Amino acid sequence: MGGNTESPDAEAERLSTPYAGGWIGGTHHFALRVYFEDTDVAGIVYYANYLKFMERARSDMLRSAGIDQRGVLEAGEGVYVVAEADIKYRRPARLDDELVVLSEVREVRAASCLIHQRVMRGRELLADATITAAFLSAEGRPKRQPREWLEAFERLKREREK
Amino acid sequence: MGGNTESPDAEAERLSTPYAGGWIGGTHHFALRVYFEDTDVAGIVYYANYLKFMERARSDMLRSAGIDQRGVLEAGEGVYVVAEADIKYRRPARLDDELVVLSEVREVRAASCLIHQRVMRGRELLADATITAAFLSAEGRPKRQPREWLEAFERLKREREK
Amino acid sequence: MGGNTESPDAEAERLSTPYAGGWIGGTHHFALRVYFEDTDVAGIVYYANYLKFMERARSDMLRSAGIDQRGVLEAGEGVYVVAEADIKYRRPARLDDELVVLSEVREVRAASCLIHQRVMRGRELLADATITAAFLSAEGRPKRQPREWLEAFERLKREREK
Amino acid sequence: MGGNTESPDAEAERLSTPYAGGWIGGTHHFALRVYFEDTDVAGIVYYANYLKFMERARSDMLRSAGIDQRGVLEAGEGVYVVAEADIKYRRPARLDDELVVLSEVREVRAASCLIHQRVMRGRELLADATITAAFLSAEGRPKRQPREWLEAFERLKREREK
């Protein structure tokens, strides 16, 4: 890019801001790098850690859709939990790999939604999962999602189907 | 029962031996307790950590069937990896809970096997999963399992079907 | 060796009970095995995971001293947190290793205590740490520990010094 | 803010690139967000996970100094491991918090170096640690670091002392 033309303050600001993903059409993109903590002695990413990558992507997706999980949790109004995860591991990821998690809202119901997620390394599909996320009350019972959330999910689903 | 009648040496030996699960009929039992590391801010076990519990149980199952994963890995002969996990979360586990993972071999193929696992708290089913474990060569390609392993799995499967 | 003489029910009971550590003199013993989740691509236990092993041992130590962390946490009365950890890594642990965490109470103060912990593989010292655990109120401020806890810690410290 | 003026391709490129930290003077900055996986039932980041944050920052620091950990590891030439970590926890981090890890090289020796790291939330210091990282041969013995690495560390240390 012909040299860093940013001011020192802009650079400090950029470095101090965690990565945030975003939408391209109805698909949410979330990039991450593989660190030592993610790998195991077989030299590849430990299988449970793909679910961590996918949760980071879903949390970012909710945040970018204006949904404040921490606020709702702290107010005792409820929490999203995963009710089912069906994940296929196709190729292993390795230390230092740059991955992107692609997420799409597939179905929206009163108290849950279905999200499809793919972990990509460039054009290679490493893993993909169908996740059912259910909204639960503080007592752990299925609960209707806040109306604004339902509307946000419906909007994201329509965006994808365009 | 009615006072610790063990000798000090027997007690030291018992305390220095990690838990090992075992078989009752064709079902492998593996008990564990929930620690802080397993929980999240929602007050329950984080969803990816059930896959850790299940992997511990599978590793113990293999060990008790005479299968030495570390030896095979270090010899560069191959490694078991999970090719698919379909997990349903039914009730949350919490800090200090005593859990038991029940594992059963459902199908045995040349280069893979299908294992059904349930995470129980007493008689309550908290989560259950169907796991496809594939044997891969050091280069990451599907590979026929060692003959003794195939035989061990076949034996465990028959035991369950009795 | 020479046949399992336990009754089937006793065996089921034993398999369904998670490991619990215990005291030999003033030293708490807690055994565990290294699983895939604990290792990293360098083939050894990832450095942060020793802190998990040590926390499991401390939680077991508190439980066996009659201290109910979950009850106190749920009652909103406070929580133990680590204020400082100084850990030295001396030799690496590997997959399948059988480890024992040895813990000793070194100092007891009104709102904190100092615990020394060693991770052993047989007679080899793999890592050792000095941990300062502080008792905090639900609002996160230092708080005097419940009297029974102070007494329990004092007793354990005296036991060690015998 | 006034419309996204990036082209769709530039946006896709940006979203597909994981965060990378960087240097301001001799201090390396690495930002991250707290996800569910990082927290525990006490509602705060689990103490061992700060070591994960710090390792991500150190790996990024090495990468940006031109040091290829994965390449050296795969070539069997050696690996950096932590020999000692002394960490003080001052204030808890919570779900969704935006953190920055600040890292500085303090001392450089033939086979090790000393790194000071702080985890900040804005201007608040949450945790700080002194980390001794040792370079080990594939057989696990202390080994002189590659000359270019030593020079890179020396350069970073001088930069900080300016």
Side-chain angles (χ1 to χ4, degrees):
Chain A
M1 297 291 188
N4 184 350
T5 57
E6 283 184 295
S7 71
D9 281 6
E11 175 71 355
E13 175 69 18
R14 186 186 69 75
L15 289 177
S16 299
T17 306
Y19 172 88
W23 300 86
I24 298 182
T27 302
H28 181 266
H29 288 56
F30 186 85
L32 58 92
R33 186 180 291 277
V34 174
Y35 287 100
F36 272 94
E37 68 191 89
D38 305 312
T39 60
D40 71 17
V41 61
I44 59 181
V45 170
Y46 181 67
Y47 86 127
N49 293 338
Y50 290 88
L51 292 186
K52 294 188 176 182
F53 299 164
M54 289 176 172
E55 190 276 325
R56 293 182 206 168
R58 292 196 307 277
S59 283
D60 188 86
M61 189 182 84
L62 292 176
R63 185 181 308 111
S64 75
I67 292 176
D68 175 12
Q69 286 192 97
R70 174 172 160 183
V72 167
L73 184 63
E74 289 182 349
E77 290 168 18
V79 65
Y80 270 118
V81 301
V82 171
E84 180 168 359
D86 186 356
I87 179 167
K88 290 190 178 62
Y89 301 92
R90 299 177 188 280
R91 278 190 179 80
R94 296 179 189 279
L95 183 67
D96 276 354
D97 278 354
E98 301 191 1
L99 308 180
V100 181
V101 184
L102 304 180
S103 307
E104 296 174 344
V105 178
R106 286 283 167 91
E107 278 187 49
V108 184
R109 304 180 202 127
S112 68
C113 61
L114 219 89
I115 300 168
H116 186 254
Q117 300 191 280
R118 285 170 287 164
V119 179
M120 312 293 296
R121 181 176 54 208
R123 292 170 176 275
E124 278 184 299
L125 174 63
L126 304 190
D128 57 320
T130 303
I131 304 286
T132 310
F135 193 68
L136 296 187
S137 69
E139 294 74 40
R141 270 188 288 274
K143 181 179 169 178
R144 209 183 157 78
Q145 305 177 62
R147 178 206 287 255
E148 317 83 78
W149 297 22
L150 270 178
E151 290 173 356
F153 279 125
E154 285 289 1
R155 207 166 46 235
L156 296 171
K157 179 167 166 285
R158 278 195 308 272
E159 188 66 34
R160 190 182 69 83
E161 290 163 350
K162 266 187 203 167
Chain B
M1 304 300 177
N4 185 352
T5 58
E6 283 184 296
S7 71
D9 282 4
E11 173 71 355
E13 175 68 19
R14 185 187 69 74
L15 288 178
S16 299
T17 306
Y19 172 89
W23 299 87
I24 299 182
T27 302
H28 181 266
H29 288 56
F30 185 86
L32 59 93
R33 186 180 290 278
V34 175
Y35 288 100
F36 272 94
E37 69 191 88
D38 304 313
T39 61
D40 71 17
V41 61
I44 59 181
V45 170
Y46 181 67
Y47 85 127
N49 292 339
Y50 290 87
L51 292 186
K52 294 188 177 183
F53 299 165
M54 291 176 171
E55 188 277 323
R56 293 182 206 169
R58 291 196 308 276
S59 282
D60 189 84
M61 189 182 83
L62 293 176
R63 185 180 309 111
S64 75
I67 292 177
D68 175 12
Q69 286 192 97
R70 174 172 157 183
V72 167
L73 184 63
E74 289 183 348
E77 290 168 18
V79 66
Y80 269 119
V81 300
V82 172
E84 181 168 359
D86 186 357
I87 179 166
K88 290 190 177 63
Y89 301 92
R90 299 177 187 280
R91 279 189 179 80
R94 294 179 190 279
L95 183 67
D96 275 354
D97 277 354
E98 301 191 0
L99 308 180
V100 181
V101 184
L102 305 179
S103 307
E104 297 174 342
V105 177
R106 286 283 167 90
E107 279 187 48
V108 184
R109 305 182 201 127
S112 69
C113 62
L114 220 88
I115 300 168
H116 186 254
Q117 300 191 280
R118 284 170 288 162
V119 179
M120 312 292 297
R121 182 175 54 207
R123 292 171 176 275
E124 278 183 300
L125 174 63
L126 303 190
D128 57 318
T130 302
I131 303 287
T132 310
F135 193 67
L136 296 187
S137 69
E139 294 72 39
R141 271 188 286 273
K143 181 179 170 179
R144 207 181 159 79
Q145 305 177 65
R147 178 206 289 256
E148 317 84 77
W149 297 23
L150 269 178
E151 290 173 356
F153 279 124
E154 285 289 2
R155 207 165 48 236
L156 297 170
K157 180 169 167 282
R158 279 195 307 272
E159 189 66 34
R160 191 183 69 84
E161 290 163 350
K162 268 188 199 165
Chain C
M1 303 298 179
N4 183 351
T5 58
E6 283 185 294
S7 72
D9 281 4
E11 173 72 355
E13 175 69 19
R14 186 186 70 74
L15 289 177
S16 300
T17 306
Y19 172 88
W23 300 87
I24 299 182
T27 302
H28 181 267
H29 289 54
F30 185 86
L32 60 92
R33 186 180 290 277
V34 174
Y35 288 100
F36 273 94
E37 68 191 270
D38 304 313
T39 60
D40 72 16
V41 61
I44 59 181
V45 170
Y46 181 67
Y47 85 127
N49 293 338
Y50 290 87
L51 292 186
K52 294 188 177 183
F53 298 165
M54 291 177 171
E55 189 277 322
R56 292 182 206 168
R58 293 196 308 276
S59 282
D60 189 84
M61 189 182 84
L62 293 176
R63 186 181 307 111
S64 74
I67 292 177
D68 175 12
Q69 286 192 98
R70 174 171 159 184
V72 167
L73 184 63
E74 289 183 349
E77 290 168 17
V79 66
Y80 270 119
V81 301
V82 172
E84 181 168 359
D86 186 356
I87 179 167
K88 290 189 176 64
Y89 301 92
R90 300 177 187 280
R91 277 190 181 80
R94 295 179 189 278
L95 183 67
D96 275 354
D97 277 355
E98 300 191 2
L99 308 180
V100 181
V101 185
L102 304 179
S103 307
E104 297 174 342
V105 177
R106 286 282 166 91
E107 280 187 48
V108 184
R109 304 180 201 128
S112 68
C113 62
L114 219 88
I115 301 168
H116 186 253
Q117 301 191 279
R118 285 170 288 163
V119 179
M120 311 292 297
R121 182 177 52 207
R123 292 169 176 276
E124 278 183 299
L125 174 63
L126 304 190
D128 57 318
T130 303
I131 303 286
T132 310
F135 193 68
L136 296 187
S137 70
E139 294 72 41
R141 271 188 287 272
K143 181 180 170 179
R144 210 183 157 76
Q145 304 177 65
R147 180 206 287 256
E148 317 84 77
W149 297 23
L150 269 179
E151 290 173 355
F153 280 124
E154 285 289 2
R155 208 165 47 235
L156 296 171
K157 179 168 167 284
R158 280 195 306 273
E159 188 66 34
R160 192 184 67 84
E161 291 162 350
K162 266 188 201 165
Chain D
M1 300 295 181
N4 183 351
T5 57
E6 282 185 295
S7 70
D9 281 4
E11 174 71 355
E13 175 69 19
R14 186 186 70 75
L15 289 177
S16 299
T17 306
Y19 172 89
W23 299 87
I24 299 183
T27 303
H28 181 265
H29 288 56
F30 186 86
L32 59 92
R33 186 180 291 277
V34 174
Y35 287 99
F36 273 92
E37 68 192 90
D38 305 312
T39 61
D40 72 16
V41 61
I44 60 181
V45 169
Y46 181 67
Y47 85 127
N49 292 340
Y50 290 88
L51 292 187
K52 293 188 176 181
F53 299 165
M54 289 176 171
E55 189 276 324
R56 292 182 208 169
R58 291 196 307 277
S59 282
D60 188 85
M61 189 182 84
L62 292 176
R63 185 181 308 113
S64 74
I67 292 176
D68 175 12
Q69 286 192 99
R70 174 172 159 184
V72 167
L73 184 63
E74 289 183 348
E77 290 168 17
V79 66
Y80 270 118
V81 301
V82 172
E84 179 168 0
D86 186 356
I87 179 166
K88 290 189 177 65
Y89 301 92
R90 301 178 186 279
R91 279 190 179 81
R94 294 178 191 280
L95 183 67
D96 276 354
D97 277 355
E98 301 191 1
L99 308 180
V100 181
V101 184
L102 304 179
S103 306
E104 296 174 343
V105 177
R106 286 282 167 91
E107 278 187 49
V108 184
R109 303 180 202 128
S112 69
C113 61
L114 220 88
I115 301 168
H116 186 254
Q117 300 191 281
R118 285 170 287 163
V119 179
M120 311 292 297
R121 182 177 52 208
R123 292 171 175 273
E124 278 183 299
L125 175 63
L126 303 190
D128 57 319
T130 303
I131 303 286
T132 309
F135 193 67
L136 296 187
S137 70
E139 293 73 40
R141 272 189 286 274
K143 182 179 170 179
R144 208 183 158 76
Q145 305 176 63
R147 178 206 288 256
E148 316 83 78
W149 297 22
L150 270 179
E151 290 173 356
F153 279 125
E154 285 290 2
R155 208 165 46 234
L156 296 171
K157 180 167 166 284
R158 279 196 308 272
E159 188 66 34
R160 191 184 68 83
E161 290 162 349
K162 267 187 202 166

